[in-house]
Amino acid sequence: MKVIIDQDKCVASGQCVLAAPEVFDQREEDGIVVLLAENPPQDAAESLREAAALCPALAIALEE
Amino acid sequence: MNPVSAPTHHALTTEIPDYPMSRATGCPFDPPPELSELRAHAPVSRVRLWDGSTPWLVTGYADQRALLGDPRVSADVTRSGYPHQSAGLKARRAEASTFINQDDPEHARQRRMVTAAFSIKRVEAMRPAIQRIVEELIDELLAGPKPVDLVQAFALPVPSLVICELLGVPYQDHEFFQVRSRALIKSTATPEESVAAVRELIAYLDDLVGEKLAHPAEDLLSLVAEQVRAGALTRREAASMAQLLLVAGHETTANMIALGTLALIEHPDQLARVRESQDPKLIASAVEELLRYLNIVHSGRRRVALEDIEVGGVTVRAGEGLVLANDSGNRDPEVFAEPDRLDVGRNPRRHVAFGFGVHQCLGQPLARVELQVVYSTLYRRIPGLRLAADIEQIPFKHDGLVYGVYELPVTW
Ligand code: HEM
Ligand code: SF4
């Protein structure tokens, strides 16, 4: 599974970090999303789908 | 106001119902019953507001998320067609413009000036301090007289102390800003009262911004002041932003603490699960469920369409107002099984109690931690906590932008 984030769209809600902390983090200076793993292991799939569904800015896309 | 007794079938007639609608007698935690009827039969339909305008009311969860995430939908209160909640709010918004009522790119530019302070990591780092604040207030409750009003003695002080610490606002001024914040979110306040309240708050915060410019400290207002020095914000914008953060930062959470406690007292089985749990996951789930179930920001997200938009079988024309009733969205049976049941274990993370789209609550990580600390501590430390009045005597904030209780007499 591949994760694509759009930092321009991100509004720093933190929802993805709560849903999948092993994959998403936030930049120190402005809380904007950063990826910890671009191709996370398959067992993260469920929490990744949750993160993508929760993201209020529609800034997370998944390629399965 | 609409009477709530007779069932209505507005969808089937040409009559346009008034909005907001009233909650049913004896159901203080449930949205007005007409909302579920509309959601089932006419999920996008016109309502009539205080000023006679007839924006679209959107009652279904999926439609609400689609519209709130749609760049053709604007939160700009200066556009004609924007469905204001009251004359007072309209006047107040003309007085002070903040990013909650602006569109991108300006919204994003200003929001990003303060997002760092609300990141998950930064807010988690505040958890021990929040725990300390909560424990100390409970120590005082236990040492003081009873019955006691939980709103004044606990629900308001917790978030006020926390936001003061974060912003760098002196807590000893809390009477001043709590009284004015209350006026700002009361839909029955007159334009004169609303404008006076916002002017006084902004003048106060402008002084503080000036102080932070002269003596920068380790707080969020100093960072906002820094933006003034850098030429990125005017003094007026900075003071207005500070006002938004201060008001949004304590009124909402205070209502979730008091109303959440009342809802749990009225659902003793759910209260017992929260009180007896050692599991942070259950506590986090209880917070999400109470946010969903109570949806305290209950007068709908307000927007205006910038282009023609097809939604729920109707065409919303450019320039028409939209009211997205997230209280109804959070009770949508398509998304939440048995939506009217309070179940603290269900972890309904997809609720829209913080809104959706680019304006989704900036303070949500902070609100979550505050509520997790409160719900996991208060009932454990005061296991006999109960109402010291009949629920019929509790004054609910039917007239507020933010729902809750004015007073909550409790004893133990
Ligand atoms: C349980 C408590 C809270 C609830 C239920 C809540 C609810 C909301 C909702 C529904 C919105 C969306 C408004 C819209 O789309 O029109 C919002 C936005 C906002 N909230 Fe909260 N809020 C809470 C706590 C806080 C806290 C603690 C802060 C801290 C400062 C805060 C600051 C804000 C700000 C600044 C916005 C505007 C965001 C933007 O426009 O980008 N809120 N909140
Ligand atoms: S959930 Fe979306 S908006 Fe929120 S931090 Fe993650 S990417 Fe950004």
Side-chain angles (χ1 to χ4, degrees):
Chain A
M1 186 176 271
K2 188 169 173 353
V3 186
I4 301 152
I5 53 168
D6 185 338
Q7 292 179 322
D8 293 335
K9 280 191 179 168
C10 172
V11 294
S13 71
Q15 297 263 37
C16 55
V17 180
L18 291 178
E22 66 289 357
V23 180
F24 301 100
D25 197 356
Q26 289 171 285
R27 287 200 299 236
E28 182 64 33
E29 67 273 22
D30 56 8
I32 297 304
V33 63
V34 287
L35 264 188
L36 298 174
E38 206 167 306
N39 291 295
Q42 199 52 41
D43 60 2
E46 200 183 323
S47 50
L48 282 172
R49 274 185 221 113
E50 180 74 355
L54 286 174
C55 176
L58 311 174
I60 301 173
L62 305 176
E63 277 174 13
E64 311 221 6
Chain B
M1 281 300 112
N2 271 354
V4 288
S5 42
T8 46
H9 292 279
H10 303 299
L12 308 177
T13 69
T14 50
E15 195 191 318
I16 298 178
D18 288 341
Y19 185 88
M21 291 137 183
S22 308
R23 294 172 193 257
T25 317
C27 304
F29 306 121
D30 291 332
E34 283 110 322
L35 290 180
S36 12
E37 201 147 317
L38 285 171
R39 192 178 55 230
H41 302 294
V44 182
S45 57
R46 288 198 188 269
V47 285
R48 191 176 306 279
L49 302 189
W50 61 279
D51 59 356
S53 65
T54 53
W56 296 98
L57 180 73
V58 182
T59 40
Y61 174 93
D63 289 341
Q64 290 173 8
R65 284 206 2 161
L67 288 167
L68 287 169
D70 190 326
R72 296 172 299 170
V73 169
S74 166
D76 182 348
V77 286
T78 63
R79 288 182 184 276
S80 78
Y82 183 93
H84 290 275
Q85 284 91 339
S86 67
L89 260 120
K90 187 174 176 180
R92 183 251 277 189
R93 286 171 178 146
E95 189 69 25
S97 165
T98 56
F99 62 84
I100 194 168
N101 293 128
Q102 292 169 343
D103 291 336
D104 287 347
E106 184 58 16
H107 159 267
R109 190 183 77 89
Q110 289 201 24
R111 177 168 168 138
R112 282 186 178 205
M113 291 175 183
V114 287
T115 38
F118 296 94
S119 75
I120 300 297
K121 253 189 218 137
R122 293 277 285 276
V123 170
E124 272 305 325
M126 294 170 70
R127 191 185 284 267
I130 296 172
Q131 184 77 45
R132 210 172 318 120
I133 287 171
V134 167
E135 301 280 2
E136 282 171 13
L137 284 165
I138 297 174
D139 291 342
E140 284 171 33
L141 274 182
L142 288 170
K146 55 185 182 179
V148 63
D149 175 17
L150 195 76
V151 173
Q152 288 303 325
F154 185 73
L156 258 177
V158 170
S160 292
L161 281 159
V162 171
I163 197 71
C164 280
E165 178 71 26
L166 179 69
L167 286 175
V169 169
Y171 181 70
Q172 70 259 26
D173 297 339
H174 67 274
E175 283 256 335
F176 171 84
F177 64 75
Q178 284 171 355
V179 167
R180 279 147 194 89
S181 301
R182 226 169 295 146
L184 285 190
I185 61 164
K186 203 171 169 145
S187 47
T188 49
T190 64
E192 292 72 30
E193 288 165 345
S194 299
V195 167
V198 79
R199 282 199 184 143
E200 286 164 13
L201 267 179
I202 289 183
Y204 168 77
L205 287 160
D206 183 67
D207 282 349
L208 263 183
V209 169
E211 227 167 87
K212 306 287 179 188
L213 273 170
H215 310 285
E218 290 287 309
D219 53 43
L220 189 50
L221 270 195
S222 297
L223 285 181
V224 173
E226 190 47 46
Q227 300 287 341
V228 176
R229 198 195 309 281
L233 284 181
T234 64
R235 270 292 277 268
R236 177 83 192 169
E237 286 170 335
S240 300
M241 188 191 287
Q243 175 265 139
L244 168 66
L245 296 171
L246 182 60
V247 175
H250 74 273
E251 264 297 338
T252 44
T253 311
N255 283 301
M256 274 304 297
I257 294 173
L259 191 65
T261 298
L262 179 58
L264 288 171
I265 288 175
E266 293 295 303
H267 294 82
D269 53 330
Q270 302 300 309
L271 177 56
R273 286 170 82 184
V274 173
R275 189 196 305 120
E276 275 137 41
S277 177
Q278 309 288 333
D279 179 6
K281 280 210 182 80
L282 181 92
I283 297 297
S285 164
V287 168
E288 302 308 319
E289 173 66 349
L290 284 159
L291 284 163
R292 178 194 76 84
Y293 182 73
L294 298 171
N295 195 93
I296 55 167
V297 187
H298 67 153
S299 60
R301 313 291 87 248
R302 306 283 173 125
R303 299 292 191 269
V304 54
L306 296 177
E307 296 174 24
D308 291 0
I309 299 171
E310 303 287 331
V311 60
V314 309
T315 306
V316 174
R317 298 284 172 201
E320 288 186 330
L322 291 161
V323 178
L324 307 124
N326 41 345
D327 47 353
S328 167
N330 277 334
R331 299 292 184 99
D332 190 334
E334 302 270 318
V335 186
F336 305 103
E338 291 185 74
D340 297 327
R341 196 162 60 86
L342 177 69
D343 170 6
V344 295
R346 73 163 84 199
N347 201 15
R349 286 282 283 119
R350 296 187 187 193
H351 66 72
V352 281
F354 288 124
F356 192 73
V358 296
H359 292 279
Q360 193 180 63
C361 184
L362 168 75
Q364 56 183 301
L366 181 59
R368 287 194 164 102
V369 170
E370 290 181 280
L371 294 174
Q372 287 166 8
V373 169
V374 165
Y375 296 156
S376 65
T377 310
L378 180 63
Y379 319 124
R380 180 175 49 75
R381 287 206 48 202
I382 315 186
L385 190 73
R386 59 189 157 84
L387 269 187
D390 280 342
I391 187 158
E392 287 76 30
Q393 292 164 335
I394 304 293
F396 287 91
K397 296 182 176 175
H398 291 291
D399 57 348
L401 281 192
V402 183
Y403 190 58
V405 290
Y406 284 106
E407 247 178 80
L408 192 65
V410 294
T411 192
W412 50 88

